[in-house]
Amino acid sequence: MKLMKSLILGSAAMFASVGAQAADLPVKAKAIEYVKICSLYGAGFYYIPGTDTCIKLGGYVRGTAILNSNGVWSPATGGVGGAHNRLSNYFTSQSRMDLGIDTRTATEYGVVRTYAELAFTWTAGGYAGAGTNLTNGATAYNGSNPAGSGSGMISGGSLGVYYAFLQFAGFTFGRAQSQFSSPWANYPGNSFDGLPGGGGWEAVNQVAYTADFGQGITASFSAEDQAGHTTTNIWNVSGATAAGLIAGSYGAGDIGGTRSPDFVAALRVDQAWGLVQASLAAHDNHAAYYGLDETTGHPNDKWGWAGQLALSIKNIPTGVGDTINVQGVYTNGASSYNFQPYTAFTYAMYGSTGMGGAYQSLGIAGVSDSVFVTGAGQQLTTSYGFNGAYTHNWNPQWNSAIFGGWAAVRYNNTAKGYICGALVGTLALSSGAGGCNPDFNYGVVGVATRWTPVKGLTFSAEAAYVMLDQKYASGSTVTAPAQAGIAKPAAAYELKDQSNFQMMLRAQRNF
C-alpha cells in the first residue's frame, strides 16, 4: 500500500513538473501591422492598417485680421459695414482650423476616392442697433457663432463642410466644386473672396460625370443643387418696402421650392502651358405665389443660362511658376454664375455728400435672377463680367499677385419700370422715373504679397479697393425711413457712386 501511494504521488509530481515547464514555453506573438507608406497616389498617403485603402490627412491653421470691414475678406457693401459710422468695425478677426481627409482604393473598376474637408472657425462679430427706434442707442452683438458658455462671445464657433464627396468610374457624388467653375474659381490670384466675374469656389451637392479623352482633354456633365447656391434673388416688386429698397432689395423675396437642378456642361483642355475651359449652365427660375396663399396665383417658370470661358497660362517668361488666370462670363436669369456666393447680392454703401438738403450720400444696388409684379410674368436679369490675376514669384520665399474683377447688372425696360415705380412711390426718388436706372457696375482691384520663410508657413498682406458704379441720374435723392439697425436717421440721401478700401493680414500653417 505504501508502495502504491509513493508511485501515485511521484507520478503527480512528474506531471506537475512537466506542466510547469510547458507553461514557461514562449508563445509566438501575433504579427504587428505597422502603418506603411502608400506610394500609388503621391506623397502623404499611408495604408490604413489591415486594408488596401490609402489615406492622407492634411489641412491648415490660420489667423486673419481684416481692416475696415465687418466681414472676413469681403467688402463693406451693406449693413453696419456699409453704414461707415460708429457701429462699423475698424477690424474683424478670425481663427480657423481646416482638416482634409482623402482616401483612395484601387479596384478592378478604377480608383474609388472619398474626400472631405471640414473647417472649424471662430469669426468675431460686431454690434448693430437693437432698438426699434433711434432714441435709446441700444446695440446687440450680431456674431454668427453658436453660443457657448455665458454670452456666446467667449466660446463656441462654427463648423463648415467645404467638401464631402466620393468618386468612382468617372462619377462624382456629393458636395464638390461646381463643374461650371474654373480650377481657381473666384481666386485667380489666390486672394480676395469677393471677386465677381465668374463661377465661385463654394461647393454644391451634385451628381457629375467626367469623361477623359486623353491628351489632357476632359468633358464634365452635372446636375447640381440650386437651392441656396445658384439663386440670387427672385423679387416680387409689388411687395417692395421702404426698408428693403433702401438696403438694395427691390422687392419681396419670392423664391419657390426647387423643381429642377442646374444642368452644367464643361469642356477643358489641360496642357503643360496651362489650360482653357468652356462652361455652360441652365438654371430654372421657379417663383412662389403672388400673395399670401396658393389661390393668388404665380408666374410661370423661366429658364436662365450662363456661359463662361477661362484661360490659365503657366510659367510665363517673367519668372518660374508665374501665372496668368483670366475668365469672362455672361448670364441671363442666372446671375450667381457671375456674382458668385461670396459676393453681395444687395448693396447699400454710405458716404459723404456736398448736396444741400441731403444728410449723406448712398449707393444702392441689387442683384437678381428675375423680377416680376403681381399678375405678370418673370423678367430675367442680364449680367456679365470678368476677373483675373497675375502672380509673380520673386524667389522661392516671396510672391505677389495683382488681381481684379468687374461685373455689370442690366435690367430690361419692363423690369426697370417695375423697380422705378417702387422707388418713386416708396422712397420718393427725386428725379422720377425718367432719372431712374437700377443698372449698376461693381468692380474690385487689389494686390497681395506673401512670404513663406519655411515650407508650409505663410504670412500674407493683401489690399483691395471696391467700387459701386450706380446709374441713377446725377443729383437724385431718395427719402429714407429711419434704420435703427445701422443708426441711420430718416432723411434725404443723395444717390451717388461709392467705394471702399480693405486690408487683410494673415498667418497660415499648412500641414
Side-chain angles (χ1 to χ4, degrees), residues 221-296:
F221 307 90
S222 61
E224 303 182 0
D225 185 4
Q226 64 166 249
H229 181 264
T230 51
T231 300
T232 57
N233 291 295
I234 296 177
W235 280 319
N236 182 349
V237 183
S238 296
T241 64
L245 289 168
I246 203 66
S249 182
Y250 289 147
D254 208 354
I255 302 171
T258 302
R259 288 296 180 269
S260 172
D262 283 12
F263 296 104
V264 175
L267 179 65
R268 178 169 152 183
V269 179
D270 288 87
Q271 300 294 322
W273 54 264
L275 69 86
V276 61
Q277 178 177 319
S279 307
L280 287 171
H283 173 77
D284 178 38
N285 291 290
H286 179 77
Y289 297 102
Y290 289 130
L292 181 64
D293 59 51
E294 59 192 34
T295 65
T296 60

Side-chain angles (χ1 to χ4, degrees), residues 212-224:
D212 190 339
F213 301 107
Q215 305 299 315
I217 302 173
T218 58
S220 298
F221 307 90
S222 61
E224 303 182 0

Side-chain angles (χ1 to χ4, degrees), residues 73-88:
W73 219 200
S74 59
T77 54
V80 291
H84 298 138
N85 59 20
R86 292 185 63 83
L87 298 183
S88 307

Side-chain angles (χ1 to χ4, degrees), residues 97-488:
M97 190 276 182
D98 178 281
L99 176 64
I101 306 168
D102 193 344
T103 72
R104 307 191 193 190
T105 306
T107 74
E108 65 254 48
Y109 299 101
V111 175
V112 177
R113 182 191 184 199
T114 67
Y115 184 79
E117 184 176 350
L118 311 175
F120 304 89
T121 306
W122 171 266
T123 305
Y127 287 85
T132 56
N133 53 54
L134 300 179
T135 61
N136 56 22
T139 62
Y141 184 70
N142 60 8
S144 60
N145 297 297
S149 60
S151 66
M153 297 167 55
I154 305 302
S155 60
S158 63
L159 169 63
V161 182
Y162 287 167
Y163 296 108
F165 63 82
L166 64 90
Q167 293 176 317
F168 173 67
F171 286 93
T172 298
F173 306 91
R175 183 173 172 82
Q177 182 174 299
S178 172
Q179 305 301 317
F180 183 90
S181 297
S182 64
W184 58 88
N186 51 302
Y187 300 105
N190 192 26
S191 51
F192 188 73
D193 287 337
L195 283 187
W201 164 85
E202 183 175 294
V204 57
N205 290 340
Q206 62 184 272
V207 176
Y209 178 74
T210 299
D212 190 339
F213 301 107
Q215 305 299 315
I217 302 173
T218 58
S220 298
F221 307 90
S222 61
E224 303 182 0
D225 185 4
Q226 64 166 249
H229 181 264
T230 51
T231 300
T232 57
N233 291 295
I234 296 177
W235 280 319
N236 182 349
V237 183
S238 296
T241 64
L245 289 168
I246 203 66
S249 182
Y250 289 147
D254 208 354
I255 302 171
T258 302
R259 288 296 180 269
S260 172
D262 283 12
F263 296 104
V264 175
L267 179 65
R268 178 169 152 183
V269 179
D270 288 87
Q271 300 294 322
W273 54 264
L275 69 86
V276 61
Q277 178 177 319
S279 307
L280 287 171
H283 173 77
D284 178 38
N285 291 290
H286 179 77
Y289 297 102
Y290 289 130
L292 181 64
D293 59 51
E294 59 192 34
T295 65
T296 60
H298 59 81
N300 292 331
D301 286 19
K302 272 196 174 182
W303 281 85
W305 66 277
Q308 177 179 277
L309 288 174
L311 172 69
S312 178
I313 303 175
K314 300 178 180 178
N315 296 319
I316 57 179
T318 56
V320 177
D322 287 8
T323 305
I324 294 176
N325 294 326
V326 293
Q327 59 190 7
V329 64
Y330 185 94
T331 77
N332 182 245
S335 299
S336 188
Y337 289 100
N338 184 9
F339 286 80
Q340 49 85 19
Y342 283 174
T343 62
F345 296 156
T346 58
Y347 298 80
M349 301 173 66
Y350 289 82
S352 61
T353 183
M355 176 182 288
Y359 174 70
Q360 288 180 340
S361 65
L362 168 65
I364 57 173
V367 182
S368 66
D369 292 333
S370 73
V371 300
F372 63 91
V373 293
T374 297
Q378 298 187 67
Q379 303 295 317
L380 299 185
T381 305
T382 295
S383 79
Y384 46 87
F386 65 89
N387 64 46
Y390 163 61
T391 301
H392 173 63
N393 293 280
W394 302 98
N395 57 45
Q397 287 77 41
W398 289 88
N399 75 70
S400 297
I402 300 172
F403 59 87
W406 178 90
V409 169
R410 299 291 182 263
Y411 291 95
N412 66 29
N413 288 335
T414 301
K416 286 178 180 177
Y418 296 159
I419 296 169
C420 290
L423 287 169
V424 172
T426 307
L427 294 184
L429 178 66
S430 65
S431 57
C436 174
N437 185 352
D439 294 347
F440 72 96
N441 303 327
Y442 177 68
V444 180
V445 294
V447 62
T449 294
R450 293 171 280 262
W451 175 46
T452 305
V454 296
K455 184 178 179 180
L457 176 63
T458 301
F459 298 92
S460 305
E462 300 183 23
Y465 183 72
V466 303
M467 298 154 284
L468 177 65
D469 173 21
Q470 52 89 50
K471 301 299 181 182
Y472 296 102
S474 177
S476 296
T477 63
V478 290
T479 302
Q483 301 173 78
I486 60 173
K488 294 294 181 182

